[in-house]
Amino acid sequence: MADTFILWLLLVAAGGFTWWRFYRLLRPMKRAARAARFDQPLRRLAGVARALGLHERLLKIRYSGILHAMIFVSFIALTTSIVESFGSVLFPGFSLGPIGGTTWIALLQDIFALVMLAGVVLAAFQRYVLRPARFRGSNAIDATIIYVLIVTIVVSMIFEATFGILAGKAGADWRPVSHALAYALSPLRLSGEQAATAVTVFYWLHVTSILAFLIYIPGSKHRHMFLAAPNIYFRSLKPKGMLPRAAPDKPPAPVASVEQFTWKDMLDAYACTECGRCQAACPAYAAGLPLSPKLLITDIRDHLIDAGDTPLIGGVIREETLWACTTCHACMEACPVHIEHVPKIVDMRRYLVEEGKIAPMLQEALSNLQRTGNSMGSATRMRARWTKGLPFKIKDARKEPVDILWFVGDFASYDPRVQDVTRKVAMLLNEADVDFGILYEAEQNSGNDVHRVGEEGLFEMLALRNIETISGCSFNRIMTTDPHSLNALAQEYRAFGAVYEVMHYASFLLELIETGRLKLKAEARGKVTYHDPCYLGRYNGGFDAPRALIERAGYRLAEMPRCRENSFCCGAGGGQIWSDDSGVEERPSENRIKEALSLEGARYFVVSCPKDKVMYAAAVQSLGAEDAIEVVDLADLIARALAH
Ligand code: SF4
Ligand code: SF4
């Protein structure tokens, strides 16, 4: 009776204290900005089942994924032990016996106790011995406390059963581990009374360690045990390339303090496991810049818990941290609990832009865009100058109907280092007898990177100008040579009601080959490697067409270790192309070229983005690797493989 009373008391006190700790933690979410995340419940649930059931992102780092799966499955299996331990004392007469508490449930508890301990040993080995770089900055003390609590809970459970056997308690026949331990302890020749006392000691150790674990969780990163599933459930279902808006007609607002984040941003911060996968994938972090997506999230979290007097931006989070991001999406792709780093960075950049806290180079690019519609500040009449060297005239899509409207993009139009590739694309379209045209001087920068810099007004201006021009044209589909423009036209312009069928030129060239309009010579041409641009691959799923083109052109593709959705950004996205690279220890583009050089015999580094051509050609040059590898565009490969 006394036991029942004490346990009720402990349970109510611990439950209340835990609830209060969670409530304090989650209270700011009640006053937070809106986020529309309540649609499509079935799709959301399916995503949770996939993420937690298959551990699809966790298993990308196999060691870590396996140990998490071991702990996760054991945790579920051992809840029966928790129910049994509390139920049998709180509700006299309660027993799991009738449903297998002394048979298969007992067996599972014994087995999963071992699996759980093995999982914790693997986790501790990883943290203290292997020490992967992604753990840098994570809270190791918190992890240690959790390991100790889990081991205490599990070991006390096993020893309670073990001493129960030694005390002659019935119902332990299906506990092989406890039986083995009882056999090992039998030389101690404990009396029945001594064994029963040990049972009581281990019982109370078991239940109090469970309650301590419960109380500890809200203040620990291990709160992800409870918050990971909700966070995955409320993930964004919008296309990846569409920055979130509160409502279609409401431009996203700047964020200057934690209270201005949405409730989902706050949930993100609380759900972070500090696993560091985002940090390991981040090109800015690898370049030595002051940005770790993990620390960005944990800084927001800590500031939410205790705001103090320090301002969020410029205090908790440095301005340089926000400007270092290339918006490559690698962090979001890697995060096992679907935390959304990029929208938060852009939200905070909006505030910096509003306050005029912009680096001079970036300011100049934005002024150029405002004045001329291109970041170089070149005259608009020069936009189509690249067409001059062509032996044919390209149609003006503003004046006559075309089948394909080619949105060329700034770099492909203006940059002399890329214009040759642009002309090659035109030659290929002409060769295939495609009815195509361009917008000539009416084309403006698509605004994709302007949007990610946080210059919302300028983005809207550029987008609306392009939409107005395009709406005056008669065409069937849009093709673009620039993945950033692809993202803006296909994803971002939807916010203004402009829905187009937009293709990247790789898809269109493949279509021309497959329909026999472009004919290639069948010839083996050697080994190449291919770089997935972030805004084509990760953002828009354009992984296969470039690879198919490479194969059609007769080349053998050697994949770099970081390929497809794990591709490593060139370092130019999100406005970085308009920034100097002061503070960079190693340029992401050079890091990437080194990765390509590690492949045996890949002669060409194939790109499918005009910015990549510029970035990687410069990286090859600065590494002095011109003799080892050459940066070529997909269009180059196809032009070389033409059948005449
Ligand atoms: S988007 Fe890319 S650069 Fe930005 S924080 Fe994430 S991984 Fe780093
Ligand atoms: S944000 Fe995601 S990937 Fe990064 S440390 Fe937190 S849980 Fe891990």
Side-chain angles (χ1 to χ4, degrees):
M1 202 59 198
D3 286 356
T4 309
F5 177 73
I6 293 169
L7 192 58
W8 269 117
L9 204 67
L10 286 177
L11 185 65
V12 169
F17 193 37
T18 306
W19 179 85
W20 179 75
R21 278 166 61 84
F22 260 122
Y23 174 76
R24 265 189 31 156
L25 196 70
L26 302 177
R27 192 172 42 188
M29 289 169 63
K30 272 184 19 188
R31 296 189 300 271
R34 277 188 55 215
R37 301 292 173 93
F38 294 94
D39 56 334
Q40 307 185 55
L42 290 179
R43 187 172 160 206
R44 292 182 177 282
L45 272 178
V48 176
R50 249 194 339 270
L52 297 183
L54 304 176
H55 279 55
E56 53 179 13
R57 289 190 180 187
L58 268 178
L59 281 167
K60 281 189 179 167
I61 300 177
R62 193 152 300 177
Y63 182 98
S64 199
I66 289 172
L67 79 87
H68 266 90
M70 288 163 74
I71 294 175
F72 178 71
V73 175
S74 309
F75 179 77
I76 292 172
L78 294 181
T79 50
T80 54
S81 154
I82 298 172
V83 169
E84 200 173 28
S85 299
F86 282 88
S88 59
V89 173
L90 295 177
F91 308 103
F94 173 90
S95 168
L96 292 180
I99 57 161
T102 53
T103 54
W104 65 273
I105 290 181
L107 180 66
L108 285 182
Q109 285 174 357
D110 251 30
I111 291 170
F112 279 103
L114 286 189
V115 176
M116 176 71 101
L117 289 177
V120 173
V121 168
L122 288 176
F125 185 75
Q126 177 177 237
R127 183 162 297 274
Y128 307 122
V129 182
L130 300 177
R131 300 165 68 148
R134 66 192 166 90
F135 282 172
R136 214 168 286 148
S138 297
N139 188 341
I141 297 172
D142 184 24
T144 308
I145 292 171
I146 286 291
Y147 298 157
V148 170
L149 283 171
I150 293 177
V151 169
T152 310
I153 292 168
V154 175
V155 169
S156 58
M157 182 197 87
I158 296 176
F159 276 107
E160 187 196 339
T162 302
F163 284 102
I165 293 167
L166 291 174
K169 253 174 100 176
D173 293 351
W174 287 57
R175 292 191 181 273
V177 178
S178 307
H179 266 288
L181 276 173
Y183 179 74
L185 292 175
S186 57
L188 292 179
R189 297 188 187 287
L190 295 178
S191 67
E193 201 177 323
Q194 285 170 320
T197 307
V199 169
T200 309
V201 169
F202 281 110
Y203 170 79
W204 284 102
L205 184 60
H206 183 57
V207 292
T208 49
S209 52
I210 290 170
L211 295 176
F213 184 80
L214 201 66
I215 294 170
Y216 184 71
I217 285 293
S220 152
K221 63 181 179 159
H222 291 85
R223 66 176 85 78
H224 74 261
M225 289 167 57
F226 299 104
L227 298 185
N231 204 56
I232 297 168
Y233 180 87
F234 290 118
R235 71 197 180 281
S236 170
L237 298 182
K238 293 265 182 303
K240 290 178 189 166
M242 209 180 209
L243 280 172
R245 293 169 89 85
D249 57 339
K250 207 167 158 216
V255 164
S257 63
V258 270
E259 303 82 42
Q260 290 171 330
F261 279 124
T262 69
W263 61 264
K264 176 59 174 62
D265 288 323
M266 295 180 184
L267 187 60
D268 270 359
Y270 291 136
C272 177
T273 70
E274 298 187 23
C275 68
R277 286 161 191 258
C278 53
Q279 182 174 289
C282 178
Y285 183 81
L289 290 168
L291 166 62
S292 151
K294 172 180 74 178
L295 297 182
L296 179 102
I297 297 298
T298 55
D299 283 348
I300 291 174
R301 177 198 66 198
D302 295 345
H303 197 54
L304 260 171
I305 293 169
D306 182 12
D309 294 331
T310 318
L312 174 68
I313 303 173
V316 176
I317 297 171
R318 291 163 59 186
E319 291 175 22
E320 297 85 340
T321 298
L322 298 175
W323 291 124
C325 177
T326 68
T327 70
C328 71
H329 211 274
C331 48
M332 291 178 60
E333 195 68 43
C335 181
V337 293
H338 292 249
I339 285 168
E340 295 156 26
H341 312 71
V342 179
K344 289 182 225 340
I345 291 172
V346 176
D347 284 346
M348 290 186 275
R349 282 181 173 183
R350 270 189 213 110
Y351 164 75
L352 291 175
V353 170
E354 205 174 65
E355 294 290 304
K357 294 178 175 172
I358 309 178
M361 243 181 103
L362 178 58
Q363 181 62 66
E364 191 188 338
L366 295 178
S367 305
N368 287 340
L369 283 156
Q370 179 93 38
R371 225 169 11 90
T372 61
N374 68 80
S375 59
M376 296 90 176
S378 303
T380 44
R381 66 188 157 71
M382 302 294 279
R383 187 175 272 279
R385 202 176 165 81
W386 62 269
T387 61
K388 291 280 180 267
L390 291 171
F392 53 88
K393 172 101 175 81
I394 297 183
K395 276 184 169 181
D396 186 338
R398 295 167 300 173
K399 296 182 181 152
E400 49 189 322
V402 290
D403 179 26
I404 302 296
L405 171 58
W406 179 6
F407 193 96
V408 186
D410 280 9
F411 261 78
S413 300
Y414 286 109
D415 196 301
R417 295 164 293 182
V418 190
Q419 283 170 333
D420 192 41
V421 172
T422 316
R423 278 189 286 271
K424 283 218 174 93
V425 174
M427 305 272 273
L428 290 170
L429 298 184
N430 189 57
E431 170 78 20
D433 209 14
V434 175
D435 175 24
F436 72 102
I438 59 175
L439 297 171
Y440 284 86
E441 65 276 9
E443 187 185 296
Q444 303 270 297
N445 180 290
S446 69
N448 191 64
D449 298 300
V450 174
H451 200 195
R452 277 147 187 84
V453 160
E455 222 314 5
E456 200 62 30
L458 181 56
F459 163 64
E460 288 205 12
M461 186 194 89
L462 293 166
L464 292 175
R465 280 189 191 163
N466 280 322
I467 291 168
E468 191 186 344
T469 308
I470 293 171
S471 67
C473 302
S474 170
F475 64 94
N476 290 316
R477 289 184 290 173
I478 298 178
M479 182 200 81
T480 178
T481 0
D482 171 26
H484 299 248
S485 300
L486 171 84
N487 190 67
L489 290 161
Q491 312 291 350
E492 299 278 35
Y493 286 12
R494 285 169 187 261
F496 307 103
V499 180
Y500 308 121
E501 188 180 341
V502 193
M503 330 167 265
H504 182 249
Y505 71 110
S507 313
F508 191 51
L509 290 180
L510 185 64
E511 179 186 315
L512 294 176
I513 293 166
E514 284 179 344
T515 51
R517 292 168 73 185
L518 269 183
K519 296 202 174 6
L520 305 183
K521 263 189 290 204
E523 202 175 286
R525 283 168 226 274
K527 193 149 99 177
V528 304
T529 191
Y530 171 69
H531 166 74
D532 290 279
C534 307
Y535 279 92
L536 175 62
R538 256 194 302 269
Y539 274 101
N540 287 285
F543 297 119
D544 297 332
R547 288 173 168 78
L549 273 186
I550 287 170
E551 198 186 298
R552 293 298 181 110
Y555 294 91
R556 255 183 319 119
L557 177 65
E559 294 280 14
M560 285 180 275
R562 293 173 294 185
C563 61
R564 300 180 77 94
E565 65 271 18
N566 299 323
S567 177
F568 191 68
C569 173
C570 72
Q576 290 302 304
I577 194 109
W578 304 320
S579 305
D580 61 34
D581 51 13
S582 53
V584 170
E585 285 164 14
E586 182 186 45
R587 291 189 189 100
S589 53
E590 291 172 10
N591 180 309
R592 187 65 159 158
I593 290 294
K594 284 183 190 165
E595 188 178 357
L597 289 171
S598 72
L599 300 171
E600 280 290 302
R603 178 73 192 91
Y604 297 131
F605 185 91
V606 184
V607 295
S608 57
C609 167
K611 286 190 181 105
D612 282 342
K613 176 95 205 245
V614 174
M615 297 294 287
Y616 288 120
V620 167
Q621 206 177 14
S622 71
L623 289 172
E626 292 96 327
D627 292 339
I629 202 155
E630 186 188 343
V631 179
V632 296
D633 191 277
L634 274 176
D636 284 317
L637 294 190
I638 301 301
R640 286 176 204 178
L642 278 181
H644 58 78

